[in-house]
Amino acid sequence: MNNALTVSGLTKTYKDFLLDQVSFHVPGGAIVGLIGENGAGKSTTINAALGLIRKESGEVSILEKEELDNDTKEQIGVVFDAGNYPEILSPRKINHIMRKIYHTWDEKTYFRLLDQFALPPDKQIRHYSKGMKMKLAICAAFSHHSRLLILDEATSGLDPVVRDDILDMLLDFVQDEEHSILLSSHITSDLEKIADYIVFLHQGKVVFSKAKDELLEQYGILKCGAAQFSALEKSDLIACRRMDYEWQVLVSDREKMHRKYPKALIVPATIDEIMLLYVKGNT
């Protein structure tokens, strides 16, 4: 499979927000993390890509189809943070509904996953915890043989144990390299564990789309005093921020900066720190 999802020049205007020419792709067999501060445009991007809101311009291709037919729609699993199903339903009743909606619905897989994650099939969803509801939504998404899974803040507000269970599910999903995931999240530590690529949205624009390993292995934070900061070449600075006792400077090549500025302290940067410097620093 080539790209499972391709977004090109996606634009959507609201009264107080502009999603501005957003472009990225989700390669086949990969997990792509979509990050950004609250209000950066992550959910708008997902909703526009899925056709849930009307885009003003741009092109979207899902599983190599620009116009989604019913067969292609059945191969897309979507999980939203707000919950996917009416609270009065039980997982067993959801099974009855899904059998009528999806030709590819796999009842055996569904109940096996419910049992695997200790989800009572006859209990109303309103009695489920948030973590249980999220596991249920993912179980359902897995049970109609989705090739592309799109999750919008699916791990938000969950305790670390439940989040880890869900991350394991997602890693298992892409092991055969026939499945792909777009995961929107502000919990960047989750993405450091499982993502292959990171797309960073800020104020409705794509700041970068890079391999996660490149970010973690090459990017760094140079820490220095005011005098040393003033001597830095501005072309070496991606973003910088003045703290109480030092300057913090985001650089894209730690090793190169070590050689160029041997007296400076340069430390690895987490995805969270990279995002924070872009958002709160000067570029």
Side-chain angles (χ1 to χ4, degrees), residues 31 33-36 153 155-161 163-164 167-168 170-171 183-196 198 212 216 269-275:
I31 299 177
L34 183 62
I35 67 170
E153 298 289 359
T155 58
S156 175
L158 305 181
D159 69 63
V161 174
R163 289 205 336 262
D164 199 58
L167 297 181
D168 285 342
L170 301 182
L171 283 172
L183 173 58
S184 161
S185 179
H186 66 271
I187 306 174
T188 56
S189 59
D190 287 351
L191 300 178
E192 288 185 2
K193 292 179 183 178
I194 67 169
D196 299 295
I198 300 293
K212 179 199 67 179
L216 297 182
T270 65
I271 294 173
D272 205 36
E273 289 169 330
I274 293 171
M275 186 172 74

Side-chain angles (χ1 to χ4, degrees), residues 48-90:
L50 290 171
L52 300 177
I53 58 175
R54 182 174 295 179
K55 63 183 184 293
E56 290 162 23
S57 63
E59 301 296 331
V60 176
S61 172
I62 299 180
L63 300 175
E64 303 181 326
K65 297 283 185 69
E66 294 184 7
E67 298 293 332
L68 298 183
D69 53 30
N70 287 334
D71 287 341
T72 305
K73 289 179 181 178
E74 291 205 2
Q75 297 177 69
I76 305 168
V78 182
V79 179
F80 292 108
D81 175 39
N84 285 37
Y85 307 108
E87 300 263 292
I88 61 170
L89 295 179
S90 67

Side-chain angles (χ1 to χ4, degrees), residues 139-191:
C139 288
F142 283 9
S143 298
H144 57 88
H145 300 292
S146 303
R147 290 172 59 199
L148 172 63
L149 195 60
I150 298 177
L151 304 101
D152 189 9
E153 298 289 359
T155 58
S156 175
L158 305 181
D159 69 63
V161 174
V162 173
R163 289 205 336 262
D164 199 58
D165 286 344
I166 290 175
L167 297 181
D168 285 342
M169 291 177 71
L170 301 182
L171 283 172
D172 288 341
F173 182 72
V174 298
Q175 285 306 304
D176 61 3
E177 299 185 358
E178 293 293 326
H179 299 86
S180 308
I181 297 173
L182 175 64
L183 173 58
S184 161
S185 179
H186 66 271
I187 306 174
T188 56
S189 59
D190 287 351
L191 300 178

